[in-house]
Amino acid sequence: MDYLKIQGPTPLKGNVTISGAKNAALPLIAMTLLSNSSVHIGNIPAVADIRTLLKLLHNLGATFNMQGNSVDVDTRSLTNTKATYDIVKTMRASILVLGPLLARFGHCEVSLPGGCAIGQRPIDLHLKALEQMGAAITIHGGYVRAEAPGGLKGAHIVFDKITVTGTANIIMAAALAKGKTILTNAAREPEVVQLCQVLNNNGVAIEGIGTAELIIHGTDRRLIRIDPFDVIPDRIEAGTYLCAAAITRSTMKVEKVRPDHLESVIGKLIEMGFTFEIDEESITIIPTEMIKAVDIVTQEYPGFPTDMQAQFLALATQAEGTSTIEERLFENRFMHVSELQRLGAEIKLNGHIATVKGPAQLFGADVMATDLRASSALVLAGMIAEGETDVHRIYHLDRGYENLEKKLKAVGADIERLKE
Ligand code: EPZ
């Protein structure tokens, strides 16, 4: 197993190029199941979760060719419709094949994802919506068995709660359904918006893109031809590097980004005293002498993202005064708190609210990554901790950050990947 050895404190300086968004690329790769041609996707991040989904499609009978950061996926010869436990258990986002497989073949089986380090993460809303579209769903032997032999039918679906992959799954199911699907209380994340835009550009009319109510006009099982396109930049990766600059009090430019996707993150950094130079595709963060304490509540887009909560928690340890960070989306997304405490952070956890007292002097220690974003928070803290920090179990990091240590090294971090 690999781990990261970080020597701190180190200031950073320079430019970081942001990769394509993992959470946009995953549904877009699942979307190739709706196509009657090979699909070329550019700006794919070379991260473990992407490889996992490609392997899943390959197991079902699809072919793919990944060259650098582009992939061609051809699902035309696909006949197997069972997504097995061995893959699904390694990545919950595998559930994204449920909607498109069912819509195209009229039946499929997908392993239930099971538990997760950040919370329960049920898929009841995905299943309920598919039932409303005419699917018969049973759970048997740990698998979701879905059947709609005559195809799915458009329906009016109201999500009780906003769900990102749930929205993506139902958009893809509705794309091949018969008639019109109205999806109310849909997720508005940029990753969902891109999925809608690509479908809309390639023969599936979608109204209300970017709003909480989508109207999807299904093709009645006619597969679509999808033109080549590029995945949008990863707003969470960009936000993580902005936090890396902020915590190390460095000037840094993140390039190839969509600043409009980062408004809530930049807004909080401004509240904390940082200043910015923002161009169309780049953001430069300028440090502040005194970092101000802040109050954060995680919310669905366009609110403050839960995927940036851990990184801001690390940053808040360096702010003057008391910050509060409230996690509203996942009930167990504070596993990094005890690891940050090992480095010397003063954090009190009360249910889903963390209270952080700063500034705290951090000292290097051995820490363990528990999920993807928690891992990046430990790396950020390691860069300002006095002495050596070893971050273990970084396979979590490799799921979603492309070349994290290479990118950080290039801007001056003292960071090395080693084998346990
Ligand atoms: C997506 O997960 C992201 N994953 C997550 O990113 C992200 O943290 C999350 O959205 C929230 O923004 C991908 O895009 C692949 P949800 P998702 O369904 O879709 C509850 C990362 O680090 N819920 O929007 O699985 C659920 O329990 C990851 O990159 C139900 O109750 O999240 C949660 O409390 C981790 N029933 C809330 O909704 C359902 O059927 C939001 O979850 C579905 C969800």
Side-chain angles (χ1 to χ4, degrees):
M1 229 189 276
D2 291 356
Y3 71 101
L4 290 177
K5 187 179 280 302
I6 304 165
Q7 197 70 42
T10 44
L12 308 177
K13 193 175 171 45
N15 301 2
V16 174
T17 302
I18 300 306
S19 301
K22 166 186 81 87
N23 289 347
L26 289 169
L28 290 165
I29 290 172
M31 179 201 65
T32 63
L33 288 164
L34 308 177
S35 181
N36 58 10
S37 62
S38 177
V39 184
H40 180 84
I41 313 178
N43 205 28
I44 290 271
V47 296
D49 275 7
I50 298 297
R51 289 190 287 275
T52 302
L53 184 58
L54 289 170
K55 185 170 163 209
L56 193 166
L57 291 183
H58 179 74
N59 287 357
L60 299 180
T63 57
F64 70 89
N65 180 15
M66 179 123 180
Q67 299 269 2
N69 287 101
S70 296
V71 70
D72 290 280
V73 188
D74 191 338
T75 67
R76 278 176 293 188
S77 56
L78 192 144
T79 46
N80 179 4
T81 56
K82 183 168 180 175
T84 52
Y85 178 64
D86 54 327
I87 289 213
V88 178
K89 72 169 188 222
T90 65
M91 188 183 70
R92 299 184 55 82
S94 307
I95 198 66
L96 283 165
V97 300
L98 176 65
L101 276 180
L102 177 61
R104 172 164 158 190
F105 294 98
H107 62 87
C108 69
E109 272 186 86
V110 179
S111 174
L112 266 176
C116 162
I118 64 175
Q120 246 194 331
R121 303 181 77 186
I123 54 156
D124 56 314
L125 300 173
H126 305 226
L127 303 185
K128 200 172 133 196
L130 290 173
E131 278 174 338
Q132 279 181 266
M133 297 174 78
I137 294 194
T138 49
I139 309 281
H140 188 79
Y143 281 79
V144 176
R145 210 179 266 171
E147 287 184 49
L152 294 169
K153 294 180 189 62
H156 186 181
I157 292 154
V158 183
F159 277 136
D160 294 343
K161 207 173 185 177
I162 299 174
T163 161
V164 177
T165 47
T167 302
N169 233 338
I170 301 311
I171 290 168
M172 290 187 280
L176 297 195
K178 188 180 171 73
K180 175 169 96 174
T181 298
I182 303 173
L183 195 50
T184 304
N185 207 20
R188 290 182 285 158
E189 269 65 4
E191 295 76 18
V192 171
V193 171
Q194 184 173 28
L195 175 68
C196 290
Q197 283 166 339
V198 173
L199 286 170
N200 192 53
N201 290 343
N202 291 282
V204 179
I206 302 184
E207 297 168 63
I209 296 178
T211 74
E213 183 158 287
L214 299 169
I215 302 172
I216 303 134
H217 299 269
T219 67
D220 197 6
R221 288 175 104 171
R222 184 178 44 79
L223 299 181
I224 54 173
R225 193 185 169 81
I226 299 172
D227 290 335
F229 64 90
D230 284 344
V231 175
I232 55 169
D234 195 318
R235 65 195 166 99
I236 305 301
E237 189 199 14
T240 303
Y241 285 104
L242 291 176
C243 282
I247 200 169
T248 56
R249 296 165 197 264
S250 314
T251 299
M252 189 194 278
K253 186 176 190 176
V254 292
E255 297 180 305
K256 268 186 82 178
V257 292
R258 283 278 305 261
D260 56 322
H261 291 167
L262 280 149
E263 276 173 11
S264 62
V265 169
I266 292 170
K268 281 296 160 194
L269 289 169
I270 290 173
E271 253 183 79
M272 295 176 94
F274 297 93
T275 44
F276 289 88
E277 281 164 16
I278 299 177
D279 291 327
E280 216 170 294
E281 285 195 354
S282 74
I283 304 169
T284 304
I285 177 165
I286 297 149
T288 169
E289 216 141 90
M290 195 197 85
I291 304 176
K292 291 185 222 154
V294 74
D295 295 319
I296 290 175
V297 179
T298 64
Q299 275 169 342
E300 296 86 1
Y301 191 86
F304 185 89
T306 172
D307 290 346
M308 286 302 303
Q309 177 256 100
Q311 301 88 318
F312 269 76
L313 192 59
L315 178 58
T317 67
Q318 301 310 302
E320 296 280 339
T322 303
S323 300
T324 62
I325 298 188
E326 185 174 342
E327 174 56 56
R328 288 253 180 102
L329 270 80
F330 294 110
E331 66 275 15
N332 193 28
R333 209 176 194 177
F334 273 129
M335 303 271 276
H336 40 286
V337 165
S338 43
E339 300 303 303
L340 289 170
Q341 284 167 336
R342 288 177 55 74
L343 298 173
E346 285 189 50
I347 308 171
K348 279 216 175 83
L349 196 54
N350 186 1
H352 57 281
I353 302 177
T355 307
V356 191
K357 223 169 116 197
Q361 167 71 55
L362 304 187
F363 294 97
D366 284 282
V367 287
M368 210 161 68
T370 49
D371 79 68
L372 173 58
R373 310 302 170 187
S375 320
S376 65
L378 298 178
V379 172
L380 300 189
M383 288 193 298
I384 51 152
E386 197 74 47
E388 192 176 292
T389 298
D390 289 347
V391 184
H392 302 276
R393 299 206 179 169
I394 53 159
Y395 55 86
H396 289 292
L397 265 183
D398 296 335
R399 294 183 57 166
Y401 286 97
E402 187 175 49
N403 295 331
L404 178 95
E405 79 273 11
K406 283 193 192 130
K407 290 188 185 185
L408 283 174
K409 219 179 186 146
V411 289
D414 188 343
I415 183 168
E416 223 184 330
R417 179 183 286 258
L418 297 166
K419 295 252 176 256
E420 297 279 8

